[in-house]
C-alpha cells in the first residue's frame, strides 16, 4: 500500500484526507491543530514555516512516505525541501522558493521576459515616493502575505503622501504599477514539467483600494482566440520560468483593455477559496485525487477529463460594517437547486469590519449548474437572498 504524508490539512485541505482514505492509501498528516482522527498525525508546536519542516522531519523519521502533498502557502517550502531530499515528486525547491515571495517572483519573471507590471522593491515606502508618483496608479503589497492582506491601490499624489505616512514604517514592501481589467486565475496539473490539465477561473473582487476575492467561476474560455493564445503563452512561460516539476499550480492574471494578460502572482500549491472543489465539479474529476496520484507517481491520465461537464462557482457574501443583527435567506438559498453548500462563519452579534482581507469574509456558498447562465442566475439569487444584516 502506498504511503502518503499530507503537510497541513486545516479545513480546506480536508478533501485530500477524504481522497486518500477513499483510495485506500496509508495516510498520515502533519498539523498544528490535528482534529481529524481518521488518520495518524504528527503534531507541531505552531504554524511557523520552519515548524512545518520540523513536523515533516519527525514524520519521515517514523517512516519514509512514497509521496508528500504540501497543502497551502506555509507548507510549500517544507514539502519541497523534503520531496527534493527524498527524491519524491514535487514542484521543485526552485519553484517553491519563488512561489513564497512576490519580490522573487517579479525578479525571476523579469529575467524570463514574462508580461507583468513594472515594480519596485523597497525597504521603506518613503524612498519609493518618486517612483510611485512616476508610475501612478500603483499597488502597494507585502512580499509574503496572502488573501489580499496589505494589498492596496494608490491612485494619486495625495494617496502617495498618505500611504507613506501610514505604512512608511512597515519595512520591506513591493510597489507595482496598477493593471486594470478583469481578473482570472489558472489552475494547472503539471507532471515532470508537462502540463496535463489547465483550467481558467473568472474572479470577482471588491472594488479598489482593497481587492478581496468574492467569487470564482472555473471552466472559463476566452472567446477571442488572440487573447486565449496570449494567456497560454503567459501561463506556459510562467511555468517554465519557475521551473515547476510536478505540482498543482495556481496563478493569477488580469487582462487589460487591449486584450493583453499581465501576471499578478503564481503559487505551487492548492488554491484557496474552495476553488479546487469548484474546479472538480466543473470538470467532473476529483482534483485532490489527481494531486495525490501525481505526488505518488501514480497514473492520472484516465482520471483527468478533456472538457468541462458542469458550471460550478464559489461565492463569498459581503455586508456593510457593523454588528450582525440578523442572517436571512439561508433556508431559501439552500433550497435552490444549484446551491450545493452554504457555510457561514459569522453569527448574530458578531462584528463585521470593513473588508480588506480574505480572512475577514463571512463564509461561502458553493453552487453548481448545468449552464453558465444558470450558474450566474444562481449566484445572483444567492447575492440577493442571503442577507447578513448589520447595524
Ligand atoms: N499590480 C496590480 N494591479 C492591479 N491589481 C493588483 C495588482 N497587484 C495585485 N492586485 C490585486 O490585488 C489582489 C491581491 O494581490 P496578490 O498579489 O494576488 O496578493 P495575495 O497574495 O494577497 O493574493 C490581486 O488578486 C489583484 O486583484
Ligand atoms: Mg493572490
Amino acid at each position: 500500500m502506498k504511503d502518503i504524508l499530507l503537510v497541513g490539512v486545516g479545513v480546506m485541505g480536508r478533501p485530500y484526507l477524504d481522497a486518500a482514505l477513499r483510495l485506500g492509501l496509508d495516510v498520515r498528516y502533519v498539523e498544528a491543530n490535528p482534529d481529524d482522527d481518521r488518520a495518524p498525525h504528527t503534531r507541531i508546536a505552531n504554524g511557523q514555516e520552519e515548524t512545518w519542516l520540523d513536523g515533516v522531519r519527525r514524520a519521515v523519521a517514523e517512516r519514509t512516505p512514497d509521496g508528500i502533498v504540501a497543502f497551502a502557502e506555509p507548507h510549500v517550502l517544507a514539502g519541497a525541501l523534503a520531496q527534493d531530499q527524498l527524491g519524491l515528486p514535487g514542484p521543485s525547491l526552485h519553484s517553491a522558493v519563488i512561489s513564497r515571495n512576490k519580490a522573487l517572483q517579479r525578479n525571476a519573471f523579469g529575467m524570463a521576459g514574462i508580461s507583468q507590471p513594472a515594480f519596485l522593491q523597497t525597504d521603506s515606502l518613503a524612498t519609493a515616493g518618486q517612483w510611485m508618483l512616476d508610475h501612478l496608479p500603483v499597488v502597494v503589497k507585502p512580499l509574503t502575505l496572502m488573501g489580499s492582506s496589505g494589498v492596496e491601490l494608490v491612485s494619486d499624489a495625495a494617496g502617495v503622501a498618505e500611504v507613506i505616512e501610514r505604512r512608511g514604517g512597515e519595512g520591506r514592501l513591493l510597489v507595482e504599477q496598477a493593471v486594470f481589467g478583469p481578473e482570472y486565475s489558472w489552475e494547472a496539473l503539471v507532471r515532470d514539467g508537462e502540463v496535463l490539465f489547465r483550467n481558467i477561473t473568472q474572479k470577482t473582487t471588491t472594488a479598489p483600494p482593497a481587492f478581496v476575492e468574492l467569487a470564482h467561476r472555473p471552466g472559463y474560455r476566452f472567446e477571442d482566440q488572440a487573447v486565449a493564445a496570449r494567456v497560454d503563452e503567459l501561463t506556459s512561460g510562467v511555468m517554465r520560468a519557475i521551473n515547476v516539476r510536478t505540482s498543482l499550480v495556481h496563478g493569477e492574471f488580469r487582462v487589460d483593455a487591449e486584450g493583453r494578460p499581465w501576471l499578478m502572482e503564481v503559487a505551487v500549491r492548492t488554491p484557496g477559496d474552495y476553488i479546487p472543489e469548484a474546479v472538480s465539479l466543473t470538470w467532473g474529476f476529483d482534483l485532490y485525487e489527481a494531486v495525490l496520484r501525481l505526488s505518488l507517481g501514480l497514473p492520472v491520465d484516465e482520471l483527468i477529463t478533456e472538457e468541462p461537464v458542469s458550471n460550478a462557482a464559489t461565492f463569498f457574501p459581503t455586508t456593510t460594517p457593523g454588528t450582525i443583527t440578523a442572517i436571512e435567506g439561508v433556508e431559501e438559498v439552500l433550497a435552490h437547486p444549484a446551491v450545493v453548500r452554504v457555510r457561514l462563519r459569522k453569527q448574530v452579534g458578531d462584528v463585521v469590519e470593513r473588508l480588506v482581507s480574505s480572512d475577514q469574509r463571512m463564509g461561502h456558498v458553493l453552487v453548481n449548474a448545468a449552464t453558465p447562465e444558470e450558474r450566474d442566475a444562481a449566484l445572483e439569487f444567492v447575492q440577493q437572498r442571503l442577507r447578513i444584516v448589520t447595524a
Side-chain angles (χ1 to χ4, degrees):
M1 195 175 4
K2 291 278 192 185
D3 181 331
I4 187 96
L5 180 65
L6 307 180
V7 186
V9 173
V11 175
M12 279 197 270
R14 208 65 55 122
Y16 280 122
L17 208 46
D18 300 336
L21 293 167
R22 196 178 63 237
L23 289 172
L25 300 172
D26 224 333
V27 52
R28 296 176 290 153
Y29 69 98
V30 178
E31 246 310 324
N33 304 299
D35 61 357
D36 198 317
D37 293 330
R38 292 178 298 165
H41 47 255
T42 303
R43 183 189 293 270
I44 58 167
N46 56 51
Q48 279 163 22
E49 209 148 6
E50 300 77 9
T51 315
W52 289 101
L53 189 56
D54 171 62
V56 171
R57 176 185 56 77
R58 286 186 282 124
V60 167
E62 271 172 34
R63 195 166 74 240
T64 304
D66 300 305
I68 296 176
V69 171
F71 172 54
E73 205 70 21
H75 317 123
V76 164
L77 275 183
L81 274 160
Q83 284 155 337
D84 281 11
Q85 192 161 338
L86 299 171
L88 298 173
S92 81
L93 189 54
H94 186 112
S95 66
V97 168
I98 293 176
S99 159
R100 281 296 290 134
N101 183 308
K102 291 184 170 70
L104 292 185
Q105 289 189 33
R106 289 297 186 220
N107 284 293
F109 295 138
M111 277 194 275
I114 301 292
S115 166
Q116 64 175 359
F119 67 97
L120 178 76
Q121 206 178 318
T122 174
D123 283 344
S124 153
L125 211 49
T127 62
Q130 192 57 49
W131 192 95
M132 288 197 275
L133 290 172
D134 292 342
H135 292 83
L136 282 171
V138 297
V139 170
V140 176
K141 60 171 79 168
L143 269 50
T144 61
L145 295 187
M146 57 200 110
S148 305
S149 291
V151 179
E152 65 177 303
L153 180 77
V154 178
S155 306
D156 52 25
V160 170
E162 192 277 330
V163 78
I164 288 175
E165 173 75 26
R166 179 163 43 85
R167 299 184 66 176
E170 208 173 302
R172 292 194 305 167
L173 284 168
L174 195 60
V175 190
E176 302 179 351
Q177 201 153 27
V179 177
F180 297 103
E183 188 168 5
Y184 305 87
S185 65
W186 90 87
E187 288 73 38
L189 288 170
V190 185
R191 181 178 58 202
D192 295 327
E194 183 199 353
V195 178
L196 304 178
F197 167 76
R198 188 193 294 261
N199 164 75
I200 303 278
T201 300
Q202 248 183 322
K203 191 196 288 283
T204 310
T205 65
T206 56
F211 299 92
V212 181
E213 293 163 312
L214 296 181
H216 302 276
R217 297 168 171 84
Y220 185 75
R221 253 166 232 251
F222 290 97
E223 269 167 36
D224 185 331
Q225 288 314 303
V227 178
R230 278 183 223 122
V231 167
D232 258 3
E233 193 189 329
L234 176 80
T235 56
S236 313
V238 166
M239 283 186 263
R240 264 196 310 277
I242 62 173
N243 197 7
V244 60
R245 218 162 46 214
T246 298
S247 182
L248 174 55
V249 180
H250 170 65
E252 297 171 331
F253 62 92
R254 281 185 190 272
V255 177
D256 70 15
E258 279 79 53
R260 268 196 312 268
W262 298 82
L263 185 75
M264 298 284 104
E265 63 162 342
V266 70
V268 286
R269 57 156 168 84
T270 309
D273 284 5
Y274 304 92
I275 290 173
E277 284 190 69
V279 169
S280 299
L281 288 170
T282 299
W283 289 83
F285 73 93
D286 187 354
L287 191 64
Y288 302 94
E289 176 177 338
V291 173
L292 290 176
R293 286 175 168 276
L294 282 177
S295 310
L296 290 164
L298 295 173
V300 290
D301 310 69
E302 302 220 320
L303 185 70
I304 295 173
T305 52
E306 299 275 317
E307 296 289 331
V309 298
S310 193
N311 298 271
T314 59
F315 171 81
F316 297 81
T318 51
T319 188
T320 41
T323 302
I324 300 178
T325 55
I327 297 178
E328 297 166 0
V330 176
E331 293 303 319
E332 194 184 352
V333 163
L334 273 172
H336 190 287
V339 172
V340 178
R341 181 170 78 211
V342 177
R343 195 181 288 161
L344 295 178
R345 305 198 301 176
K346 297 263 186 194
Q347 51 197 25
V348 171
D350 285 351
V351 174
V352 177
E353 307 211 355
R354 192 172 67 85
L355 190 60
V356 293
S357 154
S358 296
D359 55 18
Q360 295 171 302
R361 291 172 309 184
M362 293 168 290
H364 74 276
V365 180
L366 179 64
V367 306
N368 190 23
T371 66
E373 293 72 30
E374 285 174 43
R375 174 202 57 199
D376 290 347
L379 290 174
E380 185 70 35
F381 180 85
V382 172
Q383 184 160 21
Q384 282 176 7
R385 302 300 170 91
L386 183 61
R387 291 190 59 239
I388 298 166
V389 187
T390 52

